[in-house]
């Protein structure tokens, strides 16, 4: 019969889904999905935004669409349509994580890699005004009734941003060790200076410790005191 299947052949089966394939898009990872909660607002938070985006793209195996390792040419013509579809998804992930004013300058790019590189060239700038702004925020930040955890987290984020803007060449010499110790001491003083008066007695106790603890240890001490 014409409908019979020839001996030795089998019925066609759907190819299994390769979840590790960068061209695979999970049903939940569509063009309106937000993969990070931070929005790029300019030079002042570019490094934080970029770090969050890289983690988000890595988690979805899509970093190759922005770092040049998964271009259309490297993918092959047989998978061009899949690449184009995923590229649009990644473009929308990036566009959805930037402010409206920045978005207006990049909506005309149709490749995720181009958008990524444009943002890097525009906002990965560490001029004096950006460094001054972060430094001023660090030195004027006070707890002011907020939770200890929120105060510490905000200050720690500013420190990391400042360190990223003013990073020095790596060195294992004695001078570098002393400079690192000095930086830790300054961070401890900044943290203690901004605490609310309710911690006054605990601060005195901490400042009498020998050697002085680092900021993380002090935060743990204060958190325990707060929970008693």
């Amino acid at each position: 019969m014409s409908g019979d299947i020839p001996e030795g052949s089998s019925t066609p089966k759907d190819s299994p889904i390769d979840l590790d394939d960068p061209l695979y898009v999970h049903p939940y990872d569509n063009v309106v999905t937000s993969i990070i909660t931070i929005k790029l607002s300019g030079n002042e938070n570019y490094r934080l935004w970029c770090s969050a985006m890289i983690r988000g793209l890595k988690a979805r195996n899509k970093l190759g669409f922005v770092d040049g390792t998964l271009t259309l040419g490297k993918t092959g013509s047989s998978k061009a349509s899949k690449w184009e579809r995923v590229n649009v998804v990644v473009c929308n992930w990036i566009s959805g994580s930037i402010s409206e004013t920045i978005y207006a300058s990049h909506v005309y790019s149709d490749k995720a890699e181009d958008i990524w590189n444009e943002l890097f060239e525009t906002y990965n700038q560490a001029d004096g005004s950006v460094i001054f702004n972060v430094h001023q925020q660090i030195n004027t930040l006070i707890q002011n009734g907020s939770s200890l955890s929120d105060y510490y987290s905000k200050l720690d984020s500013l420190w990391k941003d400042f360190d990223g803007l003013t990073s020095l060449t790596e060195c294992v010499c004695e001078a570098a060790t002393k400079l690192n110790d000095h930086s830790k001491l300054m961070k401890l003083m900044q943290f203690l200076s901004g605490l609310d008066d309710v911690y006054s007695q605990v601060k005195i106790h901490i400042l009498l410790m020998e050697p002085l603890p680092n900021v993380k240890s002090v935060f743990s001490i204060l958190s325990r005191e707060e929970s008693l």
Side-chain angles (χ1 to χ4, degrees), residues 118-165:
E118 288 171 11
L119 293 174
F120 174 84
E121 293 169 3
T122 305
Y123 299 105
N124 187 39
Q125 306 295 326
D127 59 28
S129 62
V130 175
I131 296 173
F132 174 80
N133 181 51
V134 176
H135 185 264
Q136 187 175 47
Q137 289 184 65
I138 291 172
N139 287 307
T140 57
L141 183 66
I142 58 175
Q143 186 178 2
N144 195 29
S146 64
S147 70
L148 181 66
S149 179
D150 285 347
Y151 168 62
Y152 172 75
S153 296
K154 187 170 184 179
L155 191 53
D156 187 53
S157 177
L158 288 169
W159 283 330
K160 289 176 179 176
D161 201 14
F162 186 79
D163 289 343
L165 290 167

Side-chain angles (χ1 to χ4, degrees), residues 69-90:
T69 59
L70 190 64
T71 62
L72 179 57
K74 295 177 182 178
T75 303
S77 58
S78 62
K79 296 183 178 180
S81 60
K82 286 186 177 181
W83 187 94
E84 293 283 3
R85 180 171 62 89
V86 181
N87 173 69
V88 170
V89 172
V90 177

Side-chain angles (χ1 to χ4, degrees), residues 91-123:
C91 284
N92 279 276
W93 286 347
I94 298 173
S95 300
S97 68
I98 59 182
S99 66
E100 291 183 7
T101 53
I102 295 176
Y103 177 85
S105 302
H106 299 280
V107 292
Y108 302 107
S109 299
D110 57 6
K111 288 177 58 180
E113 184 182 1
D114 289 345
I115 298 175
W116 185 263
N117 290 336
E118 288 171 11
L119 293 174
F120 174 84
E121 293 169 3
T122 305
Y123 299 105

Side-chain angles (χ1 to χ4, degrees), residues 152-220:
Y152 172 75
S153 296
K154 187 170 184 179
L155 191 53
D156 187 53
S157 177
L158 288 169
W159 283 330
K160 289 176 179 176
D161 201 14
F162 186 79
D163 289 343
L165 290 167
T166 59
S167 57
L168 302 175
T169 303
E170 289 189 12
C171 176
V172 293
C173 61
E174 183 180 354
T177 301
K178 290 183 177 180
L179 183 62
N180 186 50
D181 290 341
H182 176 75
S183 176
K184 289 180 179 178
L185 177 62
M186 290 299 98
K187 288 177 180 178
L188 175 61
M189 297 299 115
Q190 288 164 348
F191 176 69
L192 293 176
S193 297
L195 287 170
D196 287 344
D197 291 341
V198 68
Y199 297 103
S200 295
Q201 292 300 316
V202 186
K203 281 197 292 186
I204 293 173
H205 172 69
I206 290 170
L207 289 169
L208 291 175
M209 290 181 176
E210 184 62 41
L212 286 170
N214 59 33
V215 175
K216 287 184 178 179
S217 298
V218 170
F219 173 67
S220 297

Side-chain angles (χ1 to χ4, degrees), residues 9-29:
S9 63
S10 59
T11 56
K13 296 181 179 179
D14 292 336
S15 300
I17 296 175
D18 183 2
L19 300 180
D20 292 326
D21 184 355
L23 298 182
Y24 168 73
V25 178
H26 191 277
Y28 290 110
D29 287 336

